[in-house]
Amino acid sequence: MRFNIIVFPGSNCDYDTYFVLKNVFHCKVDFIWHKQDKLKNADCVILPGGFSYGDYLRPGAIASFSPIMQELKKFAQRGGLVLGICNGFQMLLEMGLLPGSLMLNNTLSFICRNVYIKVINMHTPFTNTIAEKNVLKIPIAHKEGNYFIDEEKLKELQKNNQIVFQYCDKQGNTTEYTNPNGSVNNIAGIINKNGNVLGMMPHPERASEMILGSDDGKFIFQSIIASTFANHHKI
Amino acid sequence: MEKSIITKELISEHGLSEEEYQRILEILGREPTITELGIFSVMWSEHASYKNSIALLKTLPREGIGLLTKTGEENAGVVDIGDNLAVAFKIESHNHPSALEPYQGAATGVGGIMRDIFTMGARPIASLNSLRFGNLDTPEVRHLLKNVVRGIADYGNCLGVPTVAGEIYFEHSYTTNPLINVMTVGILEHQDLTTAGAYGPGNYVLVVGSATGRDGIHGATFASEELTEKSEKKRTSVQVGDPFTEKLLLEATLEIIKHDLIVGIQDMGAAGLTCCTSEMSAKANTGMDIDVSLVPQRETGMTPYEIMLSESQERMLVVVKPENLQKVEKIFTKWDLHSVKIGEVTNDKILRVRNNGKIVAEIPTESLVAGFGAPVYHRQKEKPKYLNRLNSFDITSIHKPDNYNQILVDLLKSPNIASKNYVYHQYDYMVQINSIVAPGSDSAVCRIKNSNKAIAMTVDCNGPYCYLNPYEGAKGAVAEACRNIICAGAKPLAITNCLNFGNPYNKEVYWAFAEVIRGISDACREFGTPVTGGNVSFYNESPGGAVYPTPVIGMIGILEDLNFATTQYFQHADDIIVLLGEHCNEIGASEYLKLRIGEPIANAPKVDLIYEKKVQNVCYQAIRQGIVSSAHDCSEGGLAVALAESCFNRECLFGAKIDLHLIYRPDFELFGEQHSRIILSINKKNLPQLMKIAHKEDVNIIEIGKVTFDKKFRINNFIDIDVENLFDNWYNQIAKLME
């Protein structure tokens, strides 16, 4: 199992993700500098959180033109697993690998805190080990996480089971009150139609060790590892 | 040389006294050029020279075990924490810029202190801040708070350094002159410790980072005068921050340090290129010969004067050996940053500035620098007259309250006590995944990855205490910082301080300053926590007068085993609640008294340093013996507020049933703010063990009640109220006031 983490100028969750994959999951992990044009035998590519290019223009907008992103597109088209976390999610939208957009939070401010998310689709390579526990405690930390999509495309997302995570309370209720940033339909994460590209605002790498208050984020990395293993096995 | 055109007006506009100008003439043996006048002006400003404070600062205890830098001689203090690791930390103010332009002022304050840390070779792992504002009922104050917080958040969040702790107080005295003090803590390996000296004549001098513009010219001088209506016109003295460039600078700097490619490095903060060139060479007993026309500029037609004095952000001065030039340039190019050679280190101890080869300034470096040749003044002191009136207030003249429930709710709603979540939820306090104790508890705790250690951090100061009794107030600030570190399960190591005062030429202000230095000194000696560095900010005045003397103490502590990290929150129903320390028979300077009278009054609580240390020892030993569920220091709002806050465990609110055997007036016992008191919750079976520790240290210990599951908060027959009610009032108050 080999992860590639793409590093942009301004990425700041790159080391956190690396640390968790190395120290908690004992995986092979490589940093890929954004000016490179080749991935390194990746089973899964992670676009980490942070402020690539200082969020100038729009979050993720400039990063989506980095040389490595062409390679990433091809990787995704071949069915490779891509996980975009926070700023990485914003990049996936800018590149058109996922639909919709992320706007300024309806609180008009940055929000950093633990939230609960409900796992809506447990049949993705990113969520398939979650079965017994469908509410996860994972933190968010963003200013532009207010997911927007028009109604027609929202229906399409729903029809295709592309909504993976929704903001909820501890018991799993998704209400206006449990929506931290104004996202349409409490959406916290979505997947592409092919089911191999996931974008999410919450940070699973910040919730992978109990010492940090939650290890629910582990389910996501575990699922990626399990599905990659299963896939290799098939071959 | 440039032709000199120095007039009396020009000298006074540069904030130099007649006497200081005479000294310049003596040093140079001729009239200065305009560039030289500018250089002297910023270097001899209060901000850069510490001319009115340095004599007293030198009396602070600065020796201690494990200090790897000499106080005040490097960009930040560095303390050894074992296993080849060290902590670099420092606090700094950005008060005046933030008063005029709160967003940029606060943001660039964060930027500056971060650079001080990573130029030491340390990766910043945490940021803290200590803020003071006027009362939130005025829209101007709300504007300041909102934008200061946004400025800190946008800068720190983008940089990827978590803002893990802080304190905010609201007092009338800070209405037009808010205090914005920011502290950063970094971790380094010993071999990466880097100096700010320009050693080795013949070595190259490089400017790295952003291009230079006209922003912030005379920022240091601006910070060295009082705020007036005219200050508004000095808005251009406030710099503009670019956290993205700072992030690149951070990574590039740590990369060149890791590769051992530099001789010395310093942040271009206040007084910009002038300060770096003179301080770095004076420190190394060398000189520098630079050509300002080589400095990358983002505006056209800049004069040598402007380039030397610009405070454009995200720039640093680096000294490298000639053979490493290319390697350094390659790293900066990778990070899309400028790195340009502008001159060389010389052995003649002269700062020589050229413009296209033509000399525009030639000054002995030592004459410019604090601790070397810059002026040193001893100002006059006089005990303020207001103290007699305030100190002699008879606290027993206050009637006992009728409704203790209401007093408790009102105290919890006081913005000084209410939860600051409105603020810290705007800060990314989790990035770097080290925050094992989040904001809100007595200290923040961050683990050090790949080790079993953690660092506890806090910033503390009670302005009203220092206003009513600067000596005891300053002792109290150090004592409380220590107590907060201890309550987190850590051992206090060292402090940094940020001394915010009014105009030092005012005898009463200077008296308070001297008293505060005495207080910090006594306390730091007793606790064994040396002063590693810091910052003095004078001239915090507006037409309404000086701010309260506000000596903010930033303290770090070490947990050798992070598993002992402790919070203030109750953990288990049926644990017993124990008070370490004495009953309280005073309410001087308290929030409670302010609530009743409307202003901070009477005398500040006194600290018995020896007893304080014993109480802390008991707490520390108990935590280290693994018998403590929670530990919380009693401070603003007294025992009752500390108990209520202990119930506010975010995972699960608890209740408390307190039966306190009263010795003194109930309101004094419940709301007085006497020092040296800590609330512990422990399993009942561990009480004998705790008593043994306490008896050995000769510390009083009182079992006062137990933690309950029923979410009721009860104290004797005075208080009986739902915890959820208390929590909502406490948690939401600041957001409500900001609406």
Side-chain angles (χ1 to χ4, degrees), chain B residues 72 81 171 228 281 290 349 356 396 399 426 466 485 506 527 573:
Chain B
I81 55 164
E171 301 286 351
T228 62
S281 40
I290 61 164
K349 302 185 194 177
N356 288 309
T396 60
H399 298 299
Q426 296 186 48
C466 297
I485 295 287
N506 176 332
F527 298 126

Side-chain angles (χ1 to χ4, degrees), chain A residues 9 11-12 16 19-20 33 35 51 53-54 56 110-113 137 139 143 205-206 209 211-212, chain B residues 154 157-158 160 242 244 247-248 334-336 425-432 436 447 449 562 651:
Chain A
S11 292
N12 65 28
D16 300 355
F19 180 85
V20 166
W33 182 238
K35 286 179 187 169
F51 289 74
Y53 291 97
Y56 294 140
F110 192 94
I111 309 170
C112 174
R113 61 181 174 90
K137 181 180 159 192
K143 200 171 193 173
E205 80 282 8
R206 294 185 182 191
E209 299 162 272
I211 193 173
L212 300 173
Chain B
D154 282 357
N157 296 353
C158 180
D242 175 3
F244 173 59
K247 168 74 173 162
L248 304 181
K334 172 188 161 191
W335 291 98
D336 300 323
H425 280 151
Q426 296 186 48
Y427 301 146
D428 188 341
Y429 59 85
M430 301 172 175
V431 65
Q432 297 194 18
I436 56 180
R447 71 163 163 193
K449 288 196 191 89
L562 55 83
E651 296 297 308

